[in-house]
């Protein structure tokens, strides 16, 4: 624990665990306020775990969740109510303590002089100068001046963000570039399917963020609160302001675990798992290894989702493991898909359907997961077939692999950059924002009709980098993105159907068919996925080396 005192009655800290609660009590605190929403991070205990530990220690608790970087007036009022009701002294916590310190600063604004608030938070290690500006400006953050200015600001340091930063620096090493991201760890998310299949270890899919930020790129370790595109400004957590000449938006998407009733409470136990989280993928493999009979359910929500093939990859690798152990005949595999087809590009269906038959899996289309009761081991689905009234069905399970519903992040959906569905609104070829000419977007968050995969980001990053450099030099777009995406469908251990396609489902193979026919399962594709792609990701893509990713040039007709 790292407890920081703001006043005799209120202290703040980064995330605590249930094991820390007894120490909190021993330190003299009488109550705890949680300012971090459940499900925000993979290493985070849920509030109910903290609450149970607090009750056991004789402490009062309150849950006042605040979205990172978005401290609203309602949040401040809720924090004030909690402080009024709880016995003092109180410990408030969030991921880093910043939100809790910000809430306290606003709460104290009409009670003590501003210099006292700034001094107290500074002594605790929190810079509230941005908050001071917001308070002095009637509750709004002034964006006419900023805390920092860069030629290019990139929001998000995932696969897309780091790749485009590296590609920009490869084109102009003197370019002033900043990347905004609060995360300490960067994940190779395509590897989580392999973790869930017992092929990779979790540690192979994670590196520290600091080790990956390209040389010469400034890392702003903060969450984004809002965008002010008219002022060329990004407002950060704590109300600091970063100004830009050009902006790239690529924070990824939001896994909406709360969108399924009861799911958050049972994840990681009761046979409920998901390869969409770093900490849960090992549990998938644990369940697969232990299972010898019963029913295994694999779910897929409505599109768009990150890596549309991942839900069935989990099914195939699990079925293969059971087949190799000779227990497959005793396991009932059910694939519950909210959509109406197994895979959206028909050329790959024959190969996939053979594996569905091999594993004797039942395909259930138009089934959307609505609720999970972990203790009862039941899952409830809404069944909405075309031209039929929607119905509901509850199915028992011994194991369920859940792909959660997915949306754009909250701070994107409420921003001026979003379309009606909440995704960043771009031209699908140039990836430039349709309204704001000095803004580009790539990766999972933008609304181009392509597959949301790391392979897509690998192709998009050079396109965005080329077009930004053209814009800096006074030219129109010089590169265009053709919708390329790749989904290595792991149909069994040692074989993959390598789906590569662009806009409209047009096949976009990277290799001649005599070397690798992506429509058929092959060991060559497995070798690519298992052995080649991880180092290509870490050592090429994230370092601006554009192997097989050179951007397509804009032709006259496209202009």
């Amino acid at each position: 624990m790292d407890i920081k005192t703001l006043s005799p009655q209120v202290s703040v800290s980064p995330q605590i665990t249930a094991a820390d609660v007894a120490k909190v009590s021993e330190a003299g605190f009488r109550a705890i306020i949680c300012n971090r929403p459940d499900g925000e991070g993979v290493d985070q205990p849920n509030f109910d775990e903290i609450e149970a530990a607090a009750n056991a220690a004789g402490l009062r608790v309150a849950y006042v969740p605040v979205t990172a970087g978005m401290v609203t007036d309602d949040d401040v009022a809720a924090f004030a109510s909690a402080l009024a009701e709880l016995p003092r002294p109180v410990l408030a916590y969030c991921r880093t303590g910043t939100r809790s310190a910000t809430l306290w600063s606003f709460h104290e604004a009409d009670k003590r002089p501003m210099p006292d608030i700034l001094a107290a938070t500074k002594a605790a290690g929190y810079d509230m100068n941005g908050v001071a500006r917001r308070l002095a400006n009637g509750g709004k953050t002034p964006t006419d001046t900023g805390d920092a200015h860069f030629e290019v600001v990139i929001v998000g340091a995932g696969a897309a963000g780091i790749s485009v930063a590296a590609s920009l620096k490869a084109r102009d090493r003197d370019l002033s570039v900043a990347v905004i991201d609060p995360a300490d760890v960067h994940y190779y998310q395509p590897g989580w399917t392999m973790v869930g299949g017992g092929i990779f270890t979790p540690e192979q899919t994670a590196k520290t963020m600091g080790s990956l930020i390209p040389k010469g790129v400034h890392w702003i370790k903060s969450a984004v609160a809002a965008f002010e595109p008219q002022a060329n400004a990004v407002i950060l957590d704590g109300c600091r302001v970063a100004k830009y000449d050009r902006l790239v938006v690529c924070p990824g998407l939001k896994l909406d675990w709360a969108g399924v009733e009861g799911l958050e409470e049972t994840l990681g136990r009761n046979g409920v798992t998901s390869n969409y989280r770093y900490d849960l993928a090992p549990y998938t493999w644990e369940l697969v290894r232990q299972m010898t009979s019963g029913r295994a359910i694999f779910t897929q929500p409505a599109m768009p989702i990150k890596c549309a093939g991942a839900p069935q990859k989990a099914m195939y690798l699990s079925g293969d493991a059971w087949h190799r152990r000779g227990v497959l005949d005793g396991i009932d595999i059910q694939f519950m898909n909210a959509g109406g087809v197994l895979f959206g590009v028909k050329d790959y269906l024959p190969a996939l359907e053979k594996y569905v038959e091999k594993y004797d899996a039942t395909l259930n289309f138009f089934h959307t997961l609505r609720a999970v009761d972990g203790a009862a081991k039941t899952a409830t689905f809404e069944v909405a077939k075309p031209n039929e009234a929607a119905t509901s069905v509850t199915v028992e399970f011994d194991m369920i692999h859940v792909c959660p519903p997915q949306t754009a992040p909250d701070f994107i959906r409420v921003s001026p950059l979003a379309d009606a569905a909440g995704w960043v609104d771009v031209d699908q070829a140039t990836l430039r924002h349709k309204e704001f000419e000095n803004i580009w977007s790539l990766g999972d968050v933008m609304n181009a009709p392509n597959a949301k995969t790391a392979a897509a980001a690998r192709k998009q990053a050079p396109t965005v980098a080329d077009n930004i450099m053209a814009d800096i030099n006074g030219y129109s777009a010089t590169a265009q993105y053709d919708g390329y995406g790749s989904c290595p469908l792991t149909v069994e251990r040692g074989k993959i159907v390598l789906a590569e396609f662009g806009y409209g489902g047009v096949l976009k193979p990277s290799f001649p068919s005599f070397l690798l026919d992506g429509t058929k399962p092959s060991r060559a594709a497995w070798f690519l996925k298992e052995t080649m792609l991880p180092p290509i990701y870490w050592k090429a893509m994230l370092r601006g080396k554009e192997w097989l990713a050179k951007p397509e040039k804009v032709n006259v007709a496209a202009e």
Side-chain angles (χ1 to χ4, degrees), residues 130-145:
V131 170
R133 287 201 307 275
R134 174 174 162 184
L135 290 171
N137 199 53
K140 297 180 181 179
T141 303
T143 54
D144 52 338
T145 61

Side-chain angles (χ1 to χ4, degrees), residues 198-470:
I199 295 116
F200 289 174
T201 64
E203 294 75 19
Q204 288 176 273
T205 70
K207 292 184 184 292
T208 61
M209 187 69 80
S211 69
L212 298 174
I213 300 295
K215 183 178 180 180
V217 172
H218 186 80
W219 179 22
I220 301 175
K221 194 172 182 293
S222 178
V224 169
F227 298 94
E228 293 286 349
Q230 293 86 355
N232 295 330
V234 178
I235 301 172
L236 308 177
D237 192 5
C239 303
R240 292 170 295 155
V241 177
K243 301 277 282 188
Y244 58 83
D245 296 329
R246 290 162 185 85
L247 177 68
V248 181
V249 182
C250 47
L253 51 66
K254 173 184 176 181
L255 301 178
D256 189 14
W257 303 102
V260 176
E261 181 183 346
L263 178 58
E264 287 183 302
E265 294 81 358
T266 193
L267 276 170
R269 52 185 180 269
N270 299 318
V272 184
T273 189
S274 178
N275 290 342
Y276 275 76
R277 246 174 56 177
Y278 173 83
D279 61 325
L280 293 176
Y283 184 52
T284 300
W285 181 234
E286 178 184 334
L287 292 172
V288 170
R289 285 187 297 127
Q290 292 175 350
M291 195 165 182
T292 57
S293 63
R295 176 176 292 139
I297 297 176
F298 299 84
T299 76
Q300 178 169 313
M303 296 294 168
I305 64 170
K306 181 193 298 285
C307 189
Q312 59 185 287
K313 293 181 197 179
M315 175 179 69
Y316 298 137
L317 282 177
S318 299
D320 178 64
W322 294 322
H323 173 73
R324 290 171 185 268
R325 283 171 40 217
V327 299
L328 182 60
D329 288 347
I331 297 176
D332 174 23
I333 299 177
Q334 299 284 330
F335 188 64
M336 306 295 205
N337 187 348
V341 295
L342 180 62
F343 196 72
V345 183
K346 62 181 178 58
D347 301 76
Y348 302 103
L349 284 176
L352 299 178
E353 287 169 346
K354 287 182 180 179
Y355 279 93
V356 170
E357 182 180 354
K358 175 181 178 180
Y359 302 132
D360 195 23
T362 301
L363 303 180
N364 303 279
F365 295 116
F366 307 110
H367 281 58
T368 300
L369 182 64
R370 295 302 186 196
V372 176
D373 185 333
K377 291 204 167 183
T378 61
T380 299
F381 296 85
E382 178 186 3
V383 184
K385 297 180 180 180
N387 304 316
E388 295 183 17
T391 59
S392 179
V393 60
T394 297
V395 184
E396 294 181 345
F397 64 82
D398 295 280
M399 165 189 169
I400 183 170
H401 177 277
V402 177
C403 174
Q406 295 164 38
T407 67
D410 294 339
F411 72 96
I412 295 291
R413 289 190 293 111
V414 300
S415 77
L417 310 183
D419 65 7
W423 306 95
V424 178
D425 196 14
V426 300
D427 176 270
Q428 70 176 41
T430 65
L431 305 183
R432 194 174 202 163
H433 197 275
K434 290 181 179 178
E435 181 179 354
F436 304 106
E437 293 189 349
N438 64 337
I439 297 178
W440 288 259
S441 183
L442 70 157
D444 296 342
V445 78
M446 54 90 169
N447 67 354
N450 66 293
K452 296 183 183 296
T453 68
R458 183 172 62 87
K459 287 275 193 172
Q460 294 160 7
T463 299
V464 170
D466 261 14
N467 289 339
I468 287 177
M469 295 309 302

